[in-house]
Amino acid sequence: MRAIRIESGQLHTDDRWVGPAPEAGDAIVRPTLMGIGASDIAVATGRIAHEGVLGHEFVGVVEHAPDDARITAGQRVVGSISAVCGVCDMCRAGLSNHCRNRRVLGLHKMHGCFSETFAIPARNLAAVPDSVPDDAAVLAEPIAAALHAAHVVRVEGKPYVTVLGDGITGLLTAQVLAALNASVRVLGKHQSKFGRAEKWGVKHRHVDEVGRLQDQDVVVDCTGSPEGFALAMQLVRPRGKIIARSAPAPIPNLDSAATRVAVDTTPIVVNELEVIGARCGKVAEAVAALQAGTLDLDGLITRRGKLAEARSALEAAMTPDQIRVVIEA
């Protein structure tokens, strides 16, 4: 079967992929739609070290499920990207998101979803209601992350919130926070994305047009860059909160003092800032939000391609005018 793989740093289409080798508890899923996220681009460009099939965002149909699974063959599903062991100290403490033996779909020690079928733990899957179309369901993973970012900070009154970055992570996070009665603005660099944010009642300004007045109650950094975090410290008020939503991808074999970008963290101490990390969320919460219709996803998918054209789709996803490029099976 066909799959998009990376081997020894080389990305290629493999038409002779033998398919997934399921482990105990795994389901086999045939994806119908796959999203290309920033992490997939980081794998494709060598900034995240991974060997095997790419891809971690999907909606698909279960072809096979274990007998004791709550998911059954024929169901349409989305899934959590982290496969956890369930027995380490973190898992036993209720912190399975930080499992010592964590594998990540298409990103770390686990083949991804950019293939005709793939294996994933059945417990990771959430059923998609018939009322939710594939175009919405494929965004479940970034929606879950946006909801999680909103969970880690308490929104009281009408705080001033700035979201840095106008990719899909930033746009969804801004929309979720705006619904919580926060006064939200998105700072980005792409004029083409301004209208989408304003449609949700979220201000969108070019990052170079905004003063560094240290007057924001919360700044959510979705840039994944040292420069973004440095800017967040310039925008947030003393004793304000910074939510670090995206971490910079490591650069294999280049992790040295000469290649790192230093960030002066003095403002954290001087201004008594609270820095909160926010990683993946729960896809079941994303499905619930999709079913409730509380999110406006119109226009977030900006380009489509076929699995046979996945390499060109990845290249398109790297261009700044795209929000989410998807691959159709």
Side-chain angles (χ1 to χ4, degrees), residues 70-279:
R70 53 185 174 73
I71 294 293
T72 59
Q75 283 189 296
R76 197 162 53 109
V77 293
V78 293
S80 169
I81 66 175
S82 296
V84 302
C85 71
V87 297
C88 71
D89 58 330
M90 289 295 176
C91 287
R92 293 197 308 271
L95 297 172
S96 59
N97 208 30
H98 303 278
C99 171
R100 303 285 187 192
N101 306 304
R102 179 172 174 256
R103 297 176 298 131
V104 187
L105 186 70
L107 298 173
H108 179 63
K109 297 182 178 180
M110 186 177 178
H111 289 300
C113 64
F114 288 177
S115 61
E116 292 181 30
T117 64
F118 66 97
I120 186 172
R123 64 175 177 266
N124 284 39
L125 299 174
V128 178
D130 292 341
S131 60
V132 177
D134 278 0
D135 277 8
V138 74
L139 302 177
E141 198 275 336
I143 290 171
L147 292 169
H148 181 58
H151 290 335
V152 300
V153 63
R154 188 172 181 178
V155 175
E156 296 179 313
K158 195 173 178 68
Y160 291 103
V161 177
T162 291
V163 177
L164 299 178
D166 53 13
I168 195 166
T169 299
L171 292 172
L172 286 171
T173 300
Q175 189 177 162
V176 169
L177 287 168
L180 298 178
N181 197 39
S183 178
V184 182
R185 66 179 180 181
V186 175
L187 301 187
K189 298 181 178 180
H190 309 107
Q191 182 74 34
S192 61
K193 300 174 183 176
F194 286 15
R196 290 178 175 87
E198 290 171 1
K199 183 175 64 170
W200 309 327
V202 174
K203 297 177 181 177
H204 188 308
R205 297 184 63 186
H206 195 283
V207 66
D208 293 336
E209 297 176 355
V210 178
R212 279 61 168 161
L213 302 178
Q214 294 184 313
D215 59 355
Q216 297 297 291
D217 298 299
V218 179
V219 177
V220 186
D221 178 22
C222 298
T223 66
S225 71
E227 296 82 4
F229 189 79
L231 176 58
M233 291 188 291
Q234 296 172 12
L235 296 173
V236 71
R237 63 167 174 79
R239 293 201 173 179
K241 294 178 174 63
I242 296 174
I243 300 175
R245 173 59 198 88
S246 301
I251 304 177
N253 305 320
L254 294 177
D255 189 18
S256 67
T259 58
R260 295 181 196 137
V261 178
V263 177
D264 181 7
T265 57
T266 301
I268 295 176
V269 177
V270 173
N271 295 326
E272 300 182 316
L273 304 179
E274 184 177 352
V275 180
I276 307 168
R279 196 166 65 188

Side-chain angles (χ1 to χ4, degrees), residues 1-3 14-20 30 115-118 307:
M1 67 179 66
R2 177 173 290 141
D14 186 349
D15 289 325
R16 297 183 178 180
W17 170 234
V18 296
R30 181 174 295 276
S115 61
E116 292 181 30
T117 64
F118 66 97
L307 187 59

